[in-house]
Amino acid sequence: MTGIEVLRPGPATTVQDWPGRLGYWQIGVPPSGPMDDVSFRLANIAVGNPEGAPALEATLAGPALRFAAARWVCVTGAPVTLTVDGVVVPQWEPVLVPAGGVLDVGPVTGPGMRSYIGIAGGLDVPEFLGSAATFTLGRFGGHAGRVLAAGDELTAGTARTGPRRRILSDEQPAIGAHWYIAVTVGPHSAPEFFTRTDIDTVLSHDYQVHFNSDRTGVRLIGPRPHWARTDGGEAGLHPSNIHDNAYSVGALDFTGDTPILLGPDGPSLGGFVCPVTVTTADRWKLGQLAPGSTVRFVAVRAAEAPSAGTVGPSRRAYLPAVFSAGADTDDGILARGESADGSIEITYRRSGDDNVLVEFGKMSLDLALRARVHALQTAVSGALGAADGLIDLTPGVRSLQVKIDPDRLPQHAAVALLAELEATLPPAHELVVPSRTVRLPLSWDDPATREAIQRYMHGVRADAPWCPWNIEFIRRMNGLDSVDDVHRIVYSADYLVLGLGDVYLGAPVATPLDPRHRLVTTKYNPARTWTPENAVGIGGAYLCIYGMEGPGGYQFVGRTTQVWNHRHPQSAAGFSPDHPWLLRFFDRIQWYPVSAEELADLRADTAAGRGRLDITDGEFSLADYQRFLTDNAVDIAATRTAMETARTEERRRWAAAGEFARKEPA
């Protein structure tokens, strides 16, 4: 008998494994896995498991579990009251739960947030996309894709275990209420995005952990940046806005003026700047940051950061402080160069100690730059594999993030290799790629999006310039005569998919091929706390379809059918069991109108695996596209100038109303 009955689940107990779900960052699937990987791995080591075996993560308070058969367990992480059949037993060492016995993991009794329960033999749960880790927002992985509930029955694994042992005090991570966290400078630092004073403040100020934090990100309360620029141009009105690029787990992401440390369930792609990034060896600390605790960031040299591959004393997790001989002084820029023909500037940015962010050209929306990104992505994927230290490649609008294992491929070596590969690429104008046309239904100004705006006004901010109606805000931002013009442009446009995973699970970031159709808006500041699944919105010059429920900041225009379907995939609807996302890079999205009632029926059909989509194969030629731009240059310029004038007027209204000086309540 291998059953484990959940008598009490705890508020948020999930099955995780380590290192989680790798290789899918480019389509918006986060790694998940334990927030505190040190405590998690040590729990497994204590009971003789491989350190990445499926185990339980409990938040604030743990579960009560009845074991059908005797089993060795170990509980690590934040301090808790731990009993077996009512008798107190210690953490950090293996204890035997007898057949029929109950392991009770109580609430956290000291600093920290999460405890971990390693069970000899692990847990027998099905893998999804190569991992047993639970991603609750996506509703997959672990036990039924959700937190545990009373009455659940888990199955203990039957894998052979090695020797058990107690975890020594100098192996246990130091958990406190005031944290020192090692960060590397970059990818977006001074003087381009933040002032020198802003960076000094980030590294010299104690930030407080906000109660509204979770596995997607740890929200912090701290000083508002002064910013080194007035706005984000085509990416949005706020200076935090940039053209979408890939994020690193552990990045300090400024969503407007709000700093958020991105967690293992965080988004892979987004349009906000990140001045510093937590080192891989220190990311375990995000899992133990409790509301009200404070954080001080300590800049370190990336090349000297401890390896995340160890869990013992060499990782120094048992030290409450971070010792640094100084930070990298390059503002996060590892190197600069240019394409072989000298036409495109290239910037290699540091994004933590395990990513290189390659940026092409100026900070502008130019599909020739996206073509160059695609060419480099193809070259890197053909030259490197996991054995070489390559983990993932994630393209953005004008960038490619290369995630590496720095133990096998050091960051400086990765930069040299990328520069070498880039020099071999053909001119971008030669690019021709497959480009399907995907026609999707759009319920204009859908009731679900209206509800999201009302929730935002009641729970977050009622006086935002984009409230009470996002479509009217889009009209005003672009100098259109009526909201009917917004409707006409959205339904007339061909949206080219530049990235996936903008807000998780195959969610596209797309822009109209015709620049005259590029409605530009800014993003919510602060962001929404709830967005309905498959809402359609515009942020900057980009359109996104939200892959799932969650937070968000794009301005709503409506809602469509699913772009992700892992429950009932079928190839006829564009999905398959190993490919649950619908869209691909360089697809073209076209909209056709449906009512809210019709959309509800279409969504039900797609969810049940009965949906049918209109998909036509084709190709995208950059040379043909550039001829189109040349032929229509005069009218395109006139249209864009009128829209930019309207945005300038909106910016003046914001300044007069104090919008740029506004401080969000704590």
Side-chain angles (χ1 to χ4, degrees), residues 17-19 33-46 50-53 55-57 74-78 92 114-118 165 167-175 179 264 279-288 306-319:
D17 66 7
W18 180 85
M35 279 199 80
D36 172 0
D37 75 284
V38 174
S39 296
F40 178 94
R41 293 158 69 187
L42 289 172
N44 271 323
I45 289 171
E51 59 189 60
L56 296 177
E57 176 183 88
C74 181
V75 177
T76 61
W92 300 102
R114 291 174 175 84
S115 58
Y116 293 88
I117 306 163
R165 70 176 183 88
I167 304 302
L168 304 177
S169 60
D170 64 352
E171 298 175 293
Q172 299 172 20
I175 298 174
W179 293 86
T279 63
T280 51
D282 258 24
R283 289 175 196 165
W284 70 269
K285 296 177 180 178
L286 274 61
Q288 301 297 354
S307 172
T310 61
V311 290
S314 64
R315 188 164 172 178
R316 303 201 295 264
Y318 66 96
L319 294 173

Side-chain angles (χ1 to χ4, degrees), residues 545-620:
I545 303 170
Y546 285 77
M548 63 185 197
E549 287 188 9
Y554 281 44
Q555 306 290 337
F556 292 125
V557 294
R559 195 182 191 197
T560 187
T561 51
Q562 293 85 340
V563 293
W564 175 278
N565 187 7
H566 69 276
R567 295 191 181 278
H568 298 284
Q570 59 171 15
S571 57
F575 304 96
S576 64
D578 59 349
H579 199 289
W581 57 99
L582 171 66
L583 298 168
R584 305 171 185 170
F585 300 125
F586 294 101
D587 275 354
R588 307 180 197 212
I589 300 172
Q590 294 179 350
W591 301 112
Y592 65 90
V594 295
S595 67
E597 293 75 20
E598 289 172 322
L599 179 65
D601 290 340
L602 290 170
R603 289 179 55 77
D605 286 344
T606 301
R610 299 188 299 267
R612 294 291 186 274
L613 292 175
D614 182 357
I615 301 176
T616 306
D617 290 333
E619 64 180 26
F620 172 75

Side-chain angles (χ1 to χ4, degrees), residues 2-9 56 63-69 100-103 148-156:
T2 57
I4 304 172
E5 182 185 359
V6 179
L7 304 178
R8 186 192 69 244
L56 296 177
L65 307 171
R66 177 180 286 123
F67 287 74
V102 174
L103 173 73
L148 299 187
D152 282 346
E153 188 84 12
L154 302 175
T155 301

Side-chain angles (χ1 to χ4, degrees), residues 338-548:
E338 58 183 25
S339 57
D341 61 3
S343 63
I344 300 175
E345 298 176 3
I346 306 170
T347 305
Y348 300 87
R349 297 183 183 273
R350 178 188 302 106
S351 186
D353 59 337
D354 59 339
N355 294 284
V356 176
L357 183 66
V358 187
E359 282 187 350
F360 290 90
K362 303 290 186 182
M363 187 69 69
S364 62
L365 173 53
D366 181 348
L367 295 187
L369 300 181
R370 181 61 181 88
R372 196 75 182 182
V373 169
H374 178 78
L376 181 60
Q377 180 181 6
T378 302
V380 175
S381 62
L384 293 176
D388 305 300
L390 178 67
I391 296 176
D392 219 336
L393 296 169
T394 307
V397 171
R398 51 181 285 271
S399 62
L400 177 69
Q401 180 166 282
V402 183
K403 183 173 180 58
I404 56 175
D405 177 351
D407 288 338
R408 286 182 286 173
L409 182 61
Q411 209 165 44
H412 68 275
V415 171
L417 182 58
L418 290 167
E420 181 181 336
L421 288 171
E422 209 289 326
T424 67
L425 300 182
H429 69 264
E430 296 180 5
L431 178 78
V432 178
V433 296
S435 177
R436 306 179 307 169
T437 297
V438 182
R439 297 189 72 246
L440 293 174
L442 179 64
S443 168
W444 186 256
D445 198 19
D446 190 81
T449 60
R450 285 278 193 156
E451 179 186 351
I453 296 172
Q454 289 300 311
R455 289 195 193 186
Y456 181 83
M457 293 178 66
H458 288 301
V460 180
R461 184 182 176 194
D463 64 343
W466 42 86
C467 293
W469 193 19
N470 291 176
I471 295 174
E472 164 58 24
F473 176 68
I474 295 170
R475 181 207 67 77
R476 192 171 75 236
M477 279 277 292
N478 291 277
L480 302 177
D481 292 334
S482 73
V483 293
D484 290 340
D485 291 326
V486 181
H487 183 280
R488 172 182 54 80
I489 290 172
V490 170
Y491 280 103
S492 299
D494 271 9
Y495 288 91
L496 188 71
V497 175
L498 305 182
L500 294 171
D502 188 45
V503 274
Y504 300 105
L505 304 190
V509 53
T511 196
L513 281 167
D514 188 336
R516 292 167 292 191
H517 293 155
R518 286 180 191 159
L519 302 170
V520 177
T521 72
T522 195
K523 306 176 184 81
Y524 280 44
N525 179 27
R528 292 183 300 273
T529 56
W530 179 75
T531 301
E533 180 188 61
N534 304 134
V536 179
I538 299 173
Y542 304 104
L543 176 138
C544 177
I545 303 170
Y546 285 77
M548 63 185 197

Side-chain angles (χ1 to χ4, degrees), residues 616-653:
T616 306
D617 290 333
E619 64 180 26
F620 172 75
S621 163
L622 187 61
D624 290 347
Y625 177 65
Q626 289 177 327
R627 280 191 288 272
F628 165 80
L629 295 181
T630 300
D631 292 344
N632 294 276
V634 173
D635 193 43
I636 288 172
T639 302
R640 302 307 297 165
T641 297
M643 290 180 171
E644 288 165 8
T645 299
R647 288 195 293 278
T648 300
E649 289 301 314
E650 183 70 14
R651 189 179 295 109
R652 289 173 182 162
R653 285 190 290 268

Side-chain angles (χ1 to χ4, degrees), residues 6 9-16 56-59 134-137 139-150 152 154 215 265:
V6 179
T13 302
T14 58
V15 176
Q16 300 294 342
L56 296 177
E57 176 183 88
T59 303
T134 307
F135 180 43
T136 57
L137 291 176
R139 301 176 186 174
F140 55 73
H143 183 77
R146 58 170 172 78
V147 299
L148 299 187
D152 282 346
L154 302 175
R215 286 179 50 89
D265 282 356

